[in-house]
């Protein structure tokens, strides 16, 4: 039996799963009597890539909690659950169904975080013959038009230049028009390893006990997505605005003070260390980035956090996060197809399971499977590094990232993964590839201790795959990077190797690529 027609509305406001902000522009001039909200749990969005069960729980639970918050404000909400018999499963078809049911005169949405979704909404509006009002996303410091203005005429889009412009524009960590403390960047002081003593006792970040809503979602995910990666067990991510604010306070008090020194460090058995874990809350718009930046700045002003910690956190939120979103929207849709290094291999199966003798990979993927999270150095300099050195297709690495990370949204994942991690964009995001041997991992972690591979060896039974593939990566792309000033030291080191040694490395690398990619998940 078809669903009965809903009460006619003037505007149908579509709220996406990563736009859970009651103050968003889509709600401007919202009329409780004449307008309505549409929220949808869609099979297409939950399965267009295989998704970690905790990622699915996060989105569906946060959406259901936001529905309740809107209804408390007496806003009319049409909410479509995943198991609704009438749910057509896709943005386009479900929006069309609801425009027809409500006889809406207009569709309104805040700028989506994904080009694909924006086009689906445009197609739905066109099919229904109603206007689509896409409104600026005020969650961000910089809107897409402002970034376009910034980028116009620039030969290079360097993060550092953009970051300084953002600091000036928003008067963050500034004094008298100059950077506080006389320095723009404390990056060199964010790279301390823990040493042989390790990190010591690290206070675990706050987790949030699932309430009835979240438990219902967990049961649904285990039932409907039984074959998805990971498990719902141990889920404790923030799913409300209050949760997000509580996690921010927890980070500022307990982890921000040591975040600066050890921002790039890794340790076995420590999935979180001093990182904020705020990315899911920021990316679902449960937390305003201005509140996060202000909390860190105030901690610095109070002497509760050192300058390198405060600036390092501000750089990630005010600088990098805004920068990659600008790159995404200024370069899409062509950006997704870029593959500067012509990498074509599939993603190995062990990158989904962690079943490998490489301890750094096993530890990192194990944390990812357990928590739908690893911190940025594990993403960039372990898992991303291995994929790039192997020659995995960069868009497939992006799809893997979307699948397993709870905080992955297309706008943030694609430039980070395809651009920075895989150098697929040929230097738009990063001026050099982030390539390194196993010696980097050995320096920044304790993973190599007890691993059967030796990070100092490139050939032989105990040679570290990272080291073998690193030298072969430089060999394969030597001409491309010979003129890159940031790659000069690495290329000169390559030139010191004899032809015989390079031939042995090439043979070992070819065998590694064959063996490591012999099994794939998909």
């Amino acid at each position: 039996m078809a669903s009965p027609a809903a009460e006619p509305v003037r505007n149908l406001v579509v709220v996406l799963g990563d736009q859970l902000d009651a103050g968003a522009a889509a709600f401007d001039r919202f009329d409780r009597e004449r307008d309505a909200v549409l929220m949808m749990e869609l099979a297409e969005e939950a399965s267009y890539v295989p998704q970690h069960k905790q990622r699915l729980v996060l989105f569906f639970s946060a959406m259901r909690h936001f529905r309740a918050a809107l209804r408390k404000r007496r806003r009319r909400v049409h909410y479509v659950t995943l198991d609704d018999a009438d749910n057509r499963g896709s943005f386009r078809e479900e929006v069309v169904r609801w425009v027809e049911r409500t006889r809406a005169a207009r569709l309104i949405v805040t700028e989506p975080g994904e080009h694909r979704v924006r086009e689906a909404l445009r197609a739905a509006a066109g099919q229904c013959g109603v206007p689509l009002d896409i409104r600026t996303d005020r969650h961000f410091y910089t809107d897409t038009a402002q970034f376009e203005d910034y980028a116009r005429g620039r030969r290079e889009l360097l993060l550092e230049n953009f970051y300084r412009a953002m600091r000036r524009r928003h008067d963050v960590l500034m004094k008298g028009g100059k950077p506080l403390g006389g320095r723009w960047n404390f990056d060199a002081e964010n790279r301390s390893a823990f040493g042989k003593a390790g990190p010591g006792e690290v206070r675990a970040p706050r987790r949030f006990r699932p309430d009835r809503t979240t438990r219902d979602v967990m049961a649904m995910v285990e039932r409907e997505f039984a074959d998805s990666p990971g498990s719902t067990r141990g889920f404790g991510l923030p799913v409300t605005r209050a949760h997000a604010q509580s996690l921010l306070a927890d980070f500022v008090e307990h982890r921000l003070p040591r975040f600066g020194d050890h921002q790039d460090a890794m340790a076995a058995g420590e999935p979180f260390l001093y990182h904020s874990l705020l990315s899911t809350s920021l990316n679902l718009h449960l937390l305003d980035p201005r509140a996060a930046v202000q909390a860190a700045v105030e901690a610095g002003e109070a002497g509760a956090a050192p300058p390198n910690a405060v600036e390092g956190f501000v750089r990630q939120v005010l600088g990098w996060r805004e920068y990659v979103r600008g790159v995404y929207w200024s370069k899409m849709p062509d950006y997704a197809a870029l593959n500067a290094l012509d990498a074509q291999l599939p993603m190995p199966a062990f990158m989904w399971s962690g079943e490998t003798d490489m301890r750094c990979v096993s530890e990192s993927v194990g944390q990812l499977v357990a928590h739908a999270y690893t911190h940025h150095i594990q993403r960039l300099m372990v898992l991303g590094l291995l994929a790039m050195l192997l020659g995995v297709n960069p868009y497939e690495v992006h799809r893997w990232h979307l699948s397993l990370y709870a905080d992955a949204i297309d706008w943030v994942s694609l430039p980070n993964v395809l651009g920075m991690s895989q150098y697929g964009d040929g230097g738009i995001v990063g001026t050099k590839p982030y390539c390194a041997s196993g010696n980097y991992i050995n320096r920044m972690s304790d993973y190599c201790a007890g691993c059967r591979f030796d990070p100092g060896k490139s050939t032989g039974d105990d040679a570290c795959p990272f080291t073998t593939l690193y030298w072969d990566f430089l060999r394969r792309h030597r001409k491309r990077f010979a003129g890159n000033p940031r790659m000069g030291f690495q290329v000169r080191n390559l030139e010191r190797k004899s032809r015989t040694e390079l031939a042995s490395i090439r043979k070992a690398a070819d065998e590694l690529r064959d063996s490591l990619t012999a099994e794939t998940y998909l």
Side-chain angles (χ1 to χ4, degrees), residues 185-195 258-266 308 315 376-377 434 440 443-445 486:
N185 194 308
F186 287 78
D187 186 49
E189 296 173 27
N190 295 149
R191 303 172 186 170
S192 297
F194 292 117
R258 294 193 67 186
F259 171 71
D261 290 342
H262 302 295
Q263 186 174 327
D264 289 2
M266 299 172 282
N308 68 328
R315 188 175 351 120
H376 69 280
I377 292 299
Y434 280 82
Y440 173 86
R443 185 170 67 253
M444 295 305 300
S445 76
R486 296 190 65 200

Side-chain angles (χ1 to χ4, degrees), residues 118-139:
R118 187 183 70 180
E119 296 310 299
L121 292 172
R122 284 176 170 170
Q127 184 174 334
C128 296
V130 298
L132 174 63
D133 182 0
I134 300 178
R135 296 184 178 173
T136 297
D137 193 343
R138 295 193 296 248
H139 168 86

Side-chain angles (χ1 to χ4, degrees), residues 50-334:
Q51 292 184 41
H52 197 295
K53 289 176 181 175
Q54 292 200 27
R55 173 182 168 85
L56 294 171
V57 172
L58 170 69
F59 275 82
F60 290 149
S61 178
M63 289 170 66
R64 293 186 184 190
H65 281 91
F66 190 64
R67 169 189 61 185
L70 290 177
R71 286 176 174 168
K72 280 187 178 180
R73 292 171 174 248
R74 296 189 298 116
R75 290 176 175 172
R76 190 178 1 164
V77 182
H78 299 301
Y79 192 97
V80 185
T81 58
L82 189 79
D83 54 4
D84 186 325
D86 293 324
N87 188 338
R88 295 178 181 174
S90 72
F91 274 117
R92 178 168 180 167
E93 294 304 319
E94 198 59 12
V95 168
V96 168
R97 179 168 79 93
W98 279 94
V99 169
E100 292 173 347
R101 282 193 64 186
T102 62
R103 288 169 279 172
R106 177 184 299 270
L107 282 169
I108 299 174
V109 67
T110 303
E111 287 174 302
E114 184 167 355
H115 184 273
R116 175 184 61 87
V117 172
R118 187 183 70 180
E119 296 310 299
L121 292 172
R122 284 176 170 170
Q127 184 174 334
C128 296
V130 298
L132 174 63
D133 182 0
I134 300 178
R135 296 184 178 173
T136 297
D137 193 343
R138 295 193 296 248
H139 168 86
F140 295 93
Y141 283 91
T142 304
D143 64 41
T144 52
Q146 288 172 331
F147 189 88
E148 288 282 4
D149 288 342
Y150 170 84
R152 190 174 294 113
R154 293 180 184 269
R155 187 171 60 86
E156 293 182 310
L157 289 175
L158 296 178
L159 167 67
E160 185 65 24
N161 294 340
F162 174 77
Y163 172 53
R164 295 184 184 190
M166 292 292 284
R167 290 264 298 271
R168 292 188 185 98
R169 182 188 306 165
H170 297 283
D171 195 27
V172 174
L173 296 179
M174 301 293 293
K175 185 175 182 180
K178 296 183 178 181
L180 198 63
R183 293 170 58 185
W184 287 105
N185 194 308
F186 287 78
D187 186 49
E189 296 173 27
N190 295 149
R191 303 172 186 170
S192 297
F194 292 117
K196 292 183 179 179
E201 184 175 352
V202 180
R203 181 185 176 115
R206 180 162 186 192
R207 307 288 284 178
F208 301 90
R209 186 186 301 275
D211 62 6
R212 177 62 181 272
T213 297
T214 301
R215 292 197 301 273
D216 287 347
V217 170
M218 291 167 72
M220 180 189 74
V221 167
E222 290 289 4
R223 181 180 67 251
E224 300 294 332
F225 301 96
D227 295 331
S228 288
S231 169
T232 62
R233 289 191 301 275
F235 180 85
L237 293 170
V239 294
T240 68
R241 185 165 295 270
H243 284 174
Q245 292 168 340
S246 177
L247 186 60
L248 172 61
D250 177 73
F251 165 64
V252 170
E253 180 178 0
H254 298 296
R255 297 190 302 288
L256 177 63
R258 294 193 67 186
F259 171 71
D261 290 342
H262 302 295
Q263 186 174 327
D264 289 2
M266 299 172 282
E270 293 288 352
F272 308 124
L273 292 169
Y274 302 106
H275 293 266
S276 75
L277 276 73
L278 293 171
S279 53
T280 56
S281 297
L282 288 166
N283 292 352
L284 269 62
H285 296 192
L286 296 174
L287 181 66
D288 190 319
R290 296 161 190 81
V293 165
Q294 186 60 30
V297 170
E298 289 176 357
E301 292 172 344
N308 68 328
V310 175
E311 188 277 322
F313 180 73
V314 168
R315 188 175 351 120
Q316 288 191 351
V317 179
L318 177 63
W320 186 253
R321 188 168 182 266
E322 298 285 325
Y323 169 77
V324 296
R325 180 173 181 263
V327 169
Y328 178 88
W329 284 112
S330 67
K331 301 297 183 182
M332 283 294 283
D334 296 339

Side-chain angles (χ1 to χ4, degrees), residues 266 360 381 385 389 435-445 447-448 453-457 464-471:
M266 299 172 282
C360 58
M381 298 306 297
L385 173 62
L389 296 180
C435 59
S437 71
N439 288 322
Y440 173 86
I441 296 170
N442 190 33
R443 185 170 67 253
M444 295 305 300
S445 76
Y447 292 149
C448 298
F453 298 114
D454 183 339
K457 292 185 178 180
C464 175
F466 281 85
T467 303
T468 304
L469 294 167
Y470 164 75
W471 289 114

